[in-house]
Amino acid sequence: MPEVAQSFNPSDLSVGELEALQNHYLPKPYRIERIVKHTADEWAFMVPVDFEGGFDKFVEVSLPMAGECPISISDFGEGWIELVIRRVGKVTSELFKLKEGDTLYLRGPMGNGYPVKEVFSGNNLTVIAGGTGVAPARSVINYFMRNRDQINHMDVIVGFRSRDHILFSDDIEVWKEKFNTTVTLDQGDPEKGENVGLVTAYLSDLDYNEPEHHHYVVVGPPMMIKFTVKGLLENGAREDRIWVSHERRMACAVGKCGHCRVGNTYICLDGPVFRYDQSKHLID
């Protein structure tokens, strides 16, 4: 009696089994619902999606005949994500030609993000971010803004080149009401209580008591991360309480191209977020 092959029905699979079957090489089309132009070269794209976002997880964004690039999820909710994209190359220049209602292509989400609920909740948290790096840190800040009872104390230090480069100005005003928030400008005349100088100039103002219960998120250009981590350690922060992101090295997001590989570590697969004591060998 020959065996009769059973028909395949995706609805019989668990969520985990369906995720395992996803083709991470295949982008899917999604409609742009809203575009917010924060600066001349940094726009936010809000996109309804059929997957769950994540704290500093990322997606590969692509357009036919243009290419593909990894972009961090700057905020997310049920059925939507927001991507802050900086116009710096061919793909992003083509994305800036799109309008609300147009289609872009995504695959993901990828990577390991911040352990917001697992580790940060119930502790003290300081977020230090510079430039476009404020975007991936924003989802962390906004989570605790919406869930204030889940964090003990929170500091936010964000730095920008000038007033013309400030991102999320409306969010920052709300953060000021909820958290100890410092805004710095590298240059220019402050108009709304900003400070002039680098973010590292304000590290000594932080409270370093209870180092075992104080976590730090540091996101920004490599040199900013280097000197910010140095300053935190000099003030008493613990290496295993500092979280850094190395996302700028990523390309294919599936560990094939090797562009982000440092030693045996693939940033796209093992990161982009790392605990500092486990990643300080990742020389950028």
Side-chain angles (χ1 to χ4, degrees):
M1 190 73 177
E3 291 186 6
V4 178
Q6 294 182 338
S7 60
F8 172 72
N9 187 350
S11 63
D12 294 335
L13 300 178
S14 67
V15 173
E17 289 171 329
L18 285 172
E19 289 178 351
L21 287 174
Q22 285 184 345
N23 187 341
H24 291 291
Y25 295 92
L26 185 64
K28 293 173 58 178
Y30 294 92
R31 180 181 57 84
I32 301 169
E33 183 163 303
R34 188 174 72 243
I35 297 175
V36 178
K37 301 177 181 179
H38 287 289
T39 72
D41 293 315
E42 289 153 320
W43 295 1
F45 295 72
M46 204 280 271
V47 183
V49 295
D50 54 359
F51 55 82
E52 185 177 356
F55 302 102
D56 202 14
K57 284 181 173 289
F58 67 97
V59 291
E60 289 283 342
V61 184
S62 63
L63 288 174
M65 307 301 291
E68 183 181 61
C69 59
I71 301 292
S72 294
I73 297 173
S74 60
D75 205 359
F76 63 93
E78 186 174 352
W80 63 272
I81 62 171
E82 184 186 83
L83 308 169
V84 172
I85 298 176
R86 185 180 185 190
R87 180 165 51 185
V88 293
K90 179 182 178 182
V91 180
T92 53
S93 294
E94 291 300 315
L95 289 167
F96 269 53
K97 296 177 182 178
L98 300 179
K99 307 181 297 297
E100 293 175 351
D102 285 347
T103 298
L104 51 67
Y105 292 78
L106 303 176
R107 60 184 177 97
M110 315 280 196
N112 295 306
Y114 297 105
V116 169
K117 299 177 183 177
E118 302 87 346
V119 176
F120 296 166
S121 289
N123 287 290
N124 300 324
L125 179 66
T126 296
V127 177
I128 307 166
T132 311
V134 178
R138 180 186 177 224
S139 62
V140 178
I141 302 170
N142 280 350
Y143 176 79
F144 288 117
M145 184 183 69
R146 296 164 184 148
N147 301 276
R148 185 63 184 86
D149 60 322
Q150 294 186 23
I151 196 73
N152 184 18
H153 175 81
M154 188 160 173
D155 302 293
V156 176
I157 304 176
V158 289
F160 303 96
R161 277 193 287 168
S162 70
R163 294 212 84 258
D164 292 338
H165 295 88
I166 292 179
L167 301 175
F168 313 119
S169 55
D170 291 342
D171 283 15
I172 289 174
E173 293 306 311
V174 179
W175 298 346
K176 288 178 179 177
E177 297 174 2
K178 297 281 186 179
F179 310 118
N180 176 35
T181 301
T182 301
V183 181
T184 72
L185 305 178
D186 292 353
Q187 58 186 357
D189 297 323
E191 297 179 3
K192 293 186 177 180
E194 301 97 343
N195 303 277
V196 176
L198 303 177
V199 295
T200 49
Y202 301 91
L203 300 181
S204 60
D205 297 338
L206 300 174
D207 185 352
Y208 292 90
N209 291 322
E210 298 184 297
E212 69 276 19
H213 296 299
H214 199 147
H215 291 264
Y216 303 85
V217 167
V218 184
V219 197
M223 291 305 288
M224 178 222 143
I225 293 177
K226 175 181 177 180
F227 286 101
T228 299
V229 170
K230 181 174 183 291
L232 291 173
L233 295 175
E234 289 174 349
N235 279 283
R238 286 175 42 160
E239 287 189 349
D240 61 354
R241 296 297 188 270
I242 298 173
W243 302 80
V244 297
S245 177
H246 292 276
E247 60 193 57
R248 81 184 192 94
R249 287 177 172 272
M250 298 183 299
C252 74
V254 290
K256 296 298 182 184
C257 72
H259 188 263
C260 68
R261 182 181 175 185
V262 183
N264 294 322
T265 301
Y266 287 85
I267 303 298
C268 65
L269 298 179
D270 303 315
V273 173
F274 294 88
R275 221 173 63 190
Y276 177 72
D277 62 312
Q278 298 171 339
S279 65
K280 55 186 178 182
H281 64 286
L282 302 175
I283 299 173
D284 195 51

